Amino acid sequence: MSTEPALMSLVAVAKAIASKEVSSREVTRACLHRIAEWQPRLNAFMAIEAEAALAAADAADAALAKGNARGPLHGVPLAHKDMYYDAGKVVTCGSLIRRDFVATTTSTALQRLKDAGTIRLGSLQMVEFAYGPTGHNAHYGAVRNPWNVDHITGGSSSGSGSAVAARLTFAALGSDTGGSIRMPAHFCGVTGLKTTVGRVSRAGAMPLSQSLDTVGPLAQSAEDCALLLGLMAGADPEDPTASALPVPDYMAATKGSMKGLRIGVPTAFYVDDLDGEVARVLDETMATLKKEGAEIVKVELPDQRQLTSACQLVLATEAAAFHKRWMIERPQDYGAQVLMRLQNGLAIPAVSYLEAMRWRGPALAAYLAAVAGTDAVLVPVGPVPAPTIAESDVGNSPNAEAVIQRLTRFTRPVNYLGLPSLAIPCGFTRSGLPVGMQLIGRSFDEAMLLRIGAAFQRATDYHQRVPKAA
Amino acid sequence: MTKPSPKEVKAMTDVAGVPATPEIAERIANSIGPAFEGFAPVAGTLPFDLEPASFLLVQTAKVSI
C-alpha cells in the first residue's frame, strides 16, 4: 500500500483531511503501515494502539462528513512521549516503577491537542524518567536513529525524535529540562522547540525539575511547531506557573522573512571543542542566513560554563527531591545510570541549590544585555553528530557523568535561563547523519525563532529529507 | 564553594535518609565536583537583597538587575 500520506507535514495533512482530499483512516493506516515496518528496527514506540486509532479515525471521518470538525487538527493521528498523562492509559515514564501506572487525569498540553481533533496512535519511548541525553533505556532498550540504527537518537525524548524522523507520526510532544527536545532533534534531523519556562502548562506532565521543565513539540518543520504551540500555549488553572501572557499568532510569524534581522553568533564556548563536520554545517548555515537577508553579528556572552554548572545544581537537587521516596523504597527498580544521577542530587547542600536559584535573575539579565540588538542567537545543539549506541552506553561507569555533561554542554545554559530555543536540521555529515543548530530567543519570543526557522526551511530542504528503510 | 569530599557526601546522604556506601559517595563526589567548581565564581558573591523570584521579573522584562 502507499504510505504517501504519512510523509506529509502536519500542516499539510491537517489541511488535506479538512478538505477531504484524504480521510483520517487513510492517513492513520499509512502511519500504522510505516510503524509496522520501522518499529522492529527503531524501538520508537512504547505502545501501538492500531485498532483504537483506526476506530477513532473512522469516528473523525464520520464527524467530518456531518460537518462536525473538532478543530484545526481534526483526524490527525499523533503519538507522544510516554510521560503525558492520558486518563485511563498506562503512562510508563520510560520506567519499571511506573510500568503499570494508569493516569486518572489528562495533561493540559495533550488535552488541548485532543480538543483540536488529534487522535492517538500509541505512546513513544523515552529515557527513564526523562533523565538522560542519549536515548538509552535500561528497561525497554535503546531507541535507534532511523538515519543509522547503530547510532543513538539522543534523549530524553528519544522515541519522539526517532518516530518523527521516520515519519511514523506527524509530530510528537517531547519535554526539555536539559536538552531533551533539542538533542533528539539534532541527532535525528527534525525540528524541535524548547519553549520558554511557563509558556506551556506542565499540568499532567511527569515532573523532573519544577524550575526547568518545559513542554514542547518535535515535528518536521518550524511551521508544524508553530501550529502546535499556538494550540497548547497559554494560561491554565491547573498549573499556576503557566504564564497568562497573550499567545501570539505563531503561524502568522512563520510567513515573515529574515530580511533586516540580526543573528548573533558567540565568539566563545559554543565554538570550542566542535566536531569538524558540525563546524562546517555551522558555517554553511550562517552563509544561508546571510543569503536570506539576515545580518550575522558576533556576540560576547557571559561565562556559559557557570550557567551549565548552575543548571546541574538545580536539576540534580530537584530531581532527587521528586524521586527520594522511590530511591528509598525501590532503588532496585531504577536503571543503574538514572539511579546514579539521582543520587548526585542528595549531596548538594540546600544553600548551594538556593544560590543557584537566586542567581537566575541576574544571569538572565546579563545574558539579555549581552545579546541586545540581536533578534536571536545561533549556536550548535551539540558538539558532535549522533555517537554510536555502543560508544555512548556508559551505564554507571565512573566517567558516565562526564560523557553526559559533554553531550549537553550547549543545551543546559538555555534551560537555566528559561529561554526558548528552536532546534532545526541544517545539514548532514559525510556519513549521512543529520546535524542541527539551535536558535536561542528572548523569553516568550518563540514567534521570532519560528519566523527565522521557517524562512531558513523555505531556503533549504534538510527538514524534508526522509531516512530510507534498509 | 568547594566540591564536597566523599566523606562529606556520605554524611549528606545519611542525613538525607538515603545512605550511600563509601564507594557510591566517592562516585557522587567525582560526578558533581565539576558543577561546584563551575559555580564557584558565583557562590558567595550574591547581594543580600536578591530575591529568587527576580527571575520572573527579568523574564517579563519588568526589571534589569
Side-chain angles (χ1 to χ4, degrees):
Chain A
M1 69 173 276
S2 167
T3 62
E4 195 176 327
L7 303 182
M8 299 170 86
S9 73
L10 177 73
V11 169
V13 80
K15 280 182 187 164
I17 292 172
S19 62
K20 299 178 186 168
E21 290 168 46
V22 64
S23 68
S24 176
R25 169 168 269 268
E26 287 172 301
V27 169
T28 303
R29 282 190 67 204
C31 289
L32 291 169
H33 181 81
R34 286 186 73 83
I35 292 167
E37 182 182 31
W38 279 93
Q39 172 66 5
R41 271 172 286 155
L42 299 183
N43 190 29
F45 273 73
M46 184 68 80
I48 302 165
E49 299 167 9
E51 285 185 21
L54 287 170
D58 287 342
D61 288 333
L64 191 62
K66 292 178 185 166
N68 297 328
R70 286 195 73 186
L73 292 177
H74 184 89
V76 176
L78 296 180
H80 304 292
K81 186 175 186 176
D82 196 21
M83 56 166 272
Y84 288 95
Y85 296 0
D86 193 349
K89 300 288 183 184
V90 171
V91 182
T92 68
C93 304
S95 71
L96 202 57
I97 289 174
R98 286 209 143 175
R99 184 180 56 187
D100 301 316
F101 168 71
V102 178
T104 55
T105 59
T106 298
S107 75
T108 298
L110 192 55
Q111 187 60 53
R112 288 179 178 177
L113 296 183
K114 285 184 174 191
D115 291 344
T118 63
I119 60 179
R120 177 182 164 106
L121 280 169
S123 59
L124 296 171
Q125 258 264 46
M126 59 183 283
V127 172
E128 182 180 6
F129 289 119
Y131 208 11
T134 60
H136 292 275
N137 185 307
H139 312 296
Y140 302 102
V143 183
R144 294 174 179 273
N145 192 317
W147 293 97
N148 184 330
V149 293
D150 293 330
H151 290 251
I152 64 170
T153 56
S156 63
S157 310
S158 48
S160 301
S162 183
V164 172
R167 305 303 192 249
L168 312 185
T169 177
F170 296 98
L173 288 180
S175 66
D176 197 317
T177 305
S180 287
I181 286 175
R182 290 163 288 159
M183 200 61 72
H186 163 50
F187 287 154
C188 294
V190 303
T191 306
L193 179 61
K194 187 265 176 213
T195 53
T196 306
V197 167
R199 182 69 289 182
V200 179
S201 167
R202 298 177 294 189
M206 179 211 79
L208 177 61
S209 159
Q210 72 268 24
S211 301
L212 307 175
D213 288 342
T214 56
V215 172
L218 294 96
Q220 287 184 33
S221 68
E223 192 182 35
D224 289 350
C225 288
L227 176 57
L228 291 165
L229 181 60
L231 293 168
M232 294 188 294
D236 176 18
E238 300 295 321
D239 178 4
T241 70
S243 173
L245 287 176
V247 178
D249 184 344
Y250 297 114
M251 287 299 280
T254 63
K255 310 302 179 205
S257 80
M258 275 191 258
K259 285 199 174 62
L261 298 184
R262 288 163 60 89
I263 296 176
V265 177
T267 53
F269 185 74
Y270 293 100
V271 292
D272 303 336
D273 192 24
L274 267 193
D275 172 88
E277 298 222 70
V278 174
R280 170 182 60 79
V281 170
L282 178 62
D283 289 341
E284 291 169 359
T285 302
M286 284 191 280
T288 302
L289 294 172
K290 275 192 217 172
K291 193 177 161 194
E292 293 301 308
E295 183 185 353
I296 303 295
V297 295
K298 291 187 175 172
V299 290
E300 287 190 28
L301 300 178
D303 191 333
Q304 300 289 287
R305 286 168 301 180
Q306 293 171 5
L307 302 178
T308 299
S309 297
C311 183
Q312 196 180 351
L313 294 175
V314 173
L315 172 53
T317 308
E318 294 184 353
F322 274 117
H323 283 270
K324 183 177 168 185
R325 178 175 171 180
W326 287 333
M327 290 167 75
I328 294 169
E329 295 177 355
R330 305 183 62 175
Q332 73 283 358
D333 290 335
Y334 284 102
Q337 186 184 92
V338 172
L339 179 60
M340 174 198 86
R341 300 192 71 207
L342 289 170
Q343 288 168 330
N344 289 346
L346 299 170
I348 295 167
V351 170
S352 301
Y353 165 73
L354 287 169
E355 276 191 299
M357 287 300 292
R358 289 175 73 227
W359 189 52
R360 258 185 130 188
L364 177 58
Y367 174 87
L368 293 174
V371 303
T374 67
D375 295 290
V377 171
L378 175 74
V379 299
V381 176
V384 293
T388 63
I389 289 172
E391 71 187 325
S392 58
D393 188 12
V394 290
N396 62 345
S397 65
N399 70 333
E401 193 63 33
V403 170
I404 289 165
Q405 294 302 320
R406 181 173 182 240
L407 278 180
T408 56
R409 64 194 290 260
F410 295 159
T411 54
R412 288 182 179 232
V414 165
N415 294 92
Y416 180 69
L417 298 176
L419 295 167
S421 174
L422 181 70
I424 48 174
C426 292
F428 284 81
T429 66
R430 286 177 184 81
S431 63
L433 290 170
V435 176
M437 295 292 152
Q438 55 176 332
L439 290 158
I440 304 169
R442 286 186 175 69
S443 309
F444 298 104
D445 197 8
E446 283 85 355
M448 176 57 73
L449 305 181
L450 294 164
R451 172 181 169 182
I452 298 169
F456 179 82
Q457 290 181 332
R458 282 194 292 274
T460 60
D461 71 350
Y462 305 117
H463 64 295
Q464 293 174 326
R465 299 186 191 179
V466 183
K468 290 184 173 56
Chain B
M1 184 194 295
T2 54
K3 66 177 184 180
S5 67
K7 196 173 171 184
E8 289 165 334
V9 166
K10 176 84 178 78
M12 281 189 277
T13 60
D14 286 350
V15 171
V18 194
T21 64
E23 294 74 26
I24 290 174
E26 184 171 359
R27 199 267 310 144
I28 292 173
N30 290 333
S31 288
I32 61 170
F36 283 94
E37 289 163 356
F39 194 64
V42 178
T45 68
L46 299 177
F48 175 76
D49 288 322
L50 179 62
E51 155 65 39
S54 66
F55 171 72
L56 299 173
L57 298 175
V58 178
Q59 208 190 23
T60 49
K62 288 181 182 159
V63 295
S64 113
I65 295 173

